[in-house]
């Protein structure tokens, strides 16, 4: 355990700490949990220590960074002091998570259980972005007399009518609650949008699904959101300095699953524009192929407007065709932009012209619903035009720029990215130096038991640090196998040898395994090679990217305890399968990021340019160690779990840096085998 604390705390902070300590002592009220459908309580000193430190940070208005390994019960450790603090101060505490699974656990299990046990009255709300809610005004337009203006395809009409029936019976209007398939084209036409909302002027305002949810947020003591909404709100409030924000005025924030903080900040505080998004926007105005769109209405300049849309569509096609000709940018690929204006700007001019014409056209319209829809498209048009100029001129300092192509059937979509390289400075100023306590926590933040790397990457400051021990006995619960005869990953026969080893170790546990890959190429190659083996052994193989979604794969894996999952990135983290169903985790390769990706390259270059830094040791290696720890952490989720971890990458023992990986996970027996 590592603890750094220099602050002295107020009486209020000590009082809150004492309340948290009493709640988690050996005779905790949580002993009643099993009577309310929860797990039987087991005293864990790490959980009590974390709760006390969270209490001190909240009431003392300081920051806190906590590594809390699996099994500590970190969600209860921050929820209990957060609830006390919110009630005492009458200001909400915001909790933000990375995964939907954890949000659902907090909202549907942990918080309802604490409500029963704590005997306190408090309100909780789940905050989601606008796009998750159905807009009644837009739905009525889609199903009205002029549906051809608001629905991109006539074939969507029956689906839209079905959605209206669902909306009349459903109290939330939440996309996640829809119990039938709905196309993204329809949802994009009827969901809530920021620029498309008339607010209190809307005839549906009082019964609006989104604003009903917002009103619940405003009254809540505990608000649960996700990292995407949190960062978008932070950008609006702190970077763009806009008036209206998305989240209520919280006075404390707890960031769970904080190992993704740097990448989330780079994503949501940066810029990205897609060719598919621009084409979809133009087709919503007018689609010459099927003669549908907002600009079907007769009126002055309507024909000229449709011509302007058609010109912008042609310009978009020409612009992205030129991008497609950039070296190595065909199909699925990435092209780093190192100098301004890598291609001629054929698009921002036609979009700016279209924006001006739309503004003139708007002045002639009397229909408020139509005006609201049109104003939203004007704002979007301006955003696209400005974004293209910003990208091509590389106007954002200390950013890395790249273009990513992705094949979609016969077509290719291109996305323009600009990501900040000074995330640590941004987070330090936007988050950690503000006058509210910020608590960040995850099961995996340290490299070789140190928080130094993580702290530097995210700009953490203004508080204390706490690294807790695992409550599990890994020495008795886990054994690691490392086949020393495996060739290195770049060897020609690596795939064949890896497939043979997967076969051997899956046989040892008769399935019950996660096989974690770092690329779909290797995953597909091994799945094809081993398909007959699994069929012959009667072991069900679930392959990511095939028929089943990630959620359905996990459901089937839990049901069939002898099955095997072949998974890539999303299965390394955020997956919880306690018990016998998961008894074997096979790491095919050490999870180093692709070194040629522009963001990875640029981060390394920044370290090297800083003087004295080494991009591999100071960035690539610790990043890989953190992801490795996430993958290994899938195995032991409770005191009764047992199993094996297999590492098929011999670099963990043949390279000097291999010790970083083994030294960063709990000590357990390691067998280096032939």
């Amino acid at each position: 355990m590592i603890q750094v604390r220099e602050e002295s705390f107020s009486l209020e902070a000590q009082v809150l700490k004492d309340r948290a300590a009493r709640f988690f002592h050996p005779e905790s009220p949580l002993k009643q949990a099993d009577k309310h459908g929860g797990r039987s309580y087991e005293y864990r000193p790490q959980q009590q220590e974390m709760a006390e430190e969270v209490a001190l940070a909240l009431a003392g208005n300081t920051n806190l960074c906590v590594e809390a390994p699996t099994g500590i019960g970190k969600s209860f450790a921050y929820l209990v002091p957060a609830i006390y603090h919110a009630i005492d101060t009458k200001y909400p505490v915001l909790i933000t998570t990375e995964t939907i699974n954890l949000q659902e656990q907090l909202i549907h299990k942990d918080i309802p259980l604490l409500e029963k046990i704590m005997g306190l009255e408090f309100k909780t709300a789940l905050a989601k972005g606008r796009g998750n809610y159905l807009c009644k005004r837009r739905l009525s337009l889609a199903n009205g007399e002029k549906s051809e203006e608001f629905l991109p395809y006539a074939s969507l009409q029956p689906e839209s009518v079905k959605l209206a029936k669902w909306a009349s019976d459903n109290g939330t209007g939440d996309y996640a609650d829809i119990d039938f398939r709905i196309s993204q084209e329809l949802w994009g036409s009827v969901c809530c949008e920021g620029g498309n909302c008339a607010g209190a002027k809307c005839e549906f305002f009082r019964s609006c699904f989104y604003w009903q949810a917002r009103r619940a947020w405003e009254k809540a003591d505990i608000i649960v959101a996700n990292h995407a909404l949190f960062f978008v709100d932070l950008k609006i409030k702190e970077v763009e300095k806009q008036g209206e924000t998305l989240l209520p005025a919280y006075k404390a924030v707890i960031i769970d699953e904080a190992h993704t903080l740097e990448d989330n900040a780079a994503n949501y505080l940066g810029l990205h524009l897609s060719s598919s998004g621009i084409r979809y926007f133009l087709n919503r105005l007018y689609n010459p192929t099927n003669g549908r769109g907002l600009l079907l209405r007769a009126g002055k300049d309507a024909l000229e407007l449709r011509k302007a849309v058609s010109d912008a569509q042609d310009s978009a096609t020409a612009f992205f065709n030129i991008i497609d000709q950039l070296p190595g940018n065909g199909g699925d690929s990435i092209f780093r932009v190192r100098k301004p204006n890598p291609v001629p700007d054929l698009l921002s001019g036609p979009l700016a012209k279209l924006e001006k014409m739309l503004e003139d056209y708007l002045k002639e319209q009397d229909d408020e619903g139509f005006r609201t829809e049109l104003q939203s498209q004007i704002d979007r048009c301006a955003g696209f035009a400005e974004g293209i100029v910003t990208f091509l001129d590389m106007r954002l300092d200390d950013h890395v720029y790249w273009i990513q192509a992705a094949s979609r059937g016969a077509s290719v979509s291109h996305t323009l990215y600009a990501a900040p390289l000074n995330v640590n400075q941004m987070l330090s100023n936007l988050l950690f130096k503000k006058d509210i306590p910020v608590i960040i926590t995850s099961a995996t933040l340290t490299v070789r038991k140190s928080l130094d790397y993580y702290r530097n990457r995210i700009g953490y400051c203004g508080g204390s640090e706490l690294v807790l021990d695992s409550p599990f006995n890994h020495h008795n619960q886990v054994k690691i196998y490392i086949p020393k005869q495996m060739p290195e990953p770049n060897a020609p026969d690596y795939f064949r040898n890896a497939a043979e080893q997967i076969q051997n170790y899956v046989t040892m546990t008769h399935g019950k395994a996660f096989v974690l890959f770092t690329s779909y190429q290797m995953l597909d190659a091994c799945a094809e090679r081993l398909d007959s083996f699994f069929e012959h052994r009667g072991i069900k193989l679930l392959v990511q990217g095939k028929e089943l979604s990630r959620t359905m794969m996990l459901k089937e894996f839990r049901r069939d305890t002898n099955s095997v999952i072949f998974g890539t990135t999303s299965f390394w983290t955020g997956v919880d399968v306690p018990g016998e169903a998961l008894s074997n985790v096979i790491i095919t390769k050490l999870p180093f990021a692709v070194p040629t990706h522009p963001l990875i390259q640029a981060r390394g270059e920044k370290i090297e340019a800083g003087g004295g830094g080494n991009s591999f040791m100071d960035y690539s290696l610790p990043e890989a160690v953190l992801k490795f720890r996430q993958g290994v952490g899938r195995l032991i989720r409770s005191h009764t779990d047992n199993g094996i971890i297999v590492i098929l990458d011999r670099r963990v023992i043949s390279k000097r840096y291999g010790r970083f990986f083994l030294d960063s996970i709990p000590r357990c027996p390691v067998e280096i085998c032939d």
Side-chain angles (χ1 to χ4, degrees), residues 15-26 43 48 51-52 55:
V15 168
L16 187 58
K17 175 188 175 183
D18 292 343
R19 291 172 77 187
R22 286 196 300 273
F23 189 88
F24 288 102
H25 65 56
Y43 172 68
Q48 179 177 343
E52 292 176 5

Side-chain angles (χ1 to χ4, degrees), residues 10 37 51 112 128 163 192 221 240 305 326 366 424 459 489 493 513 569-570 576 581 591 598 618 637-638:
S10 65
K128 295 184 176 183
L163 186 63
C192 290
D221 300 293
E240 299 175 352
L305 264 172
L326 291 170
D366 298 323
N424 56 349
D493 56 345
T569 303
S570 64
D576 188 9
D618 297 340
R637 313 298 291 179
S638 74

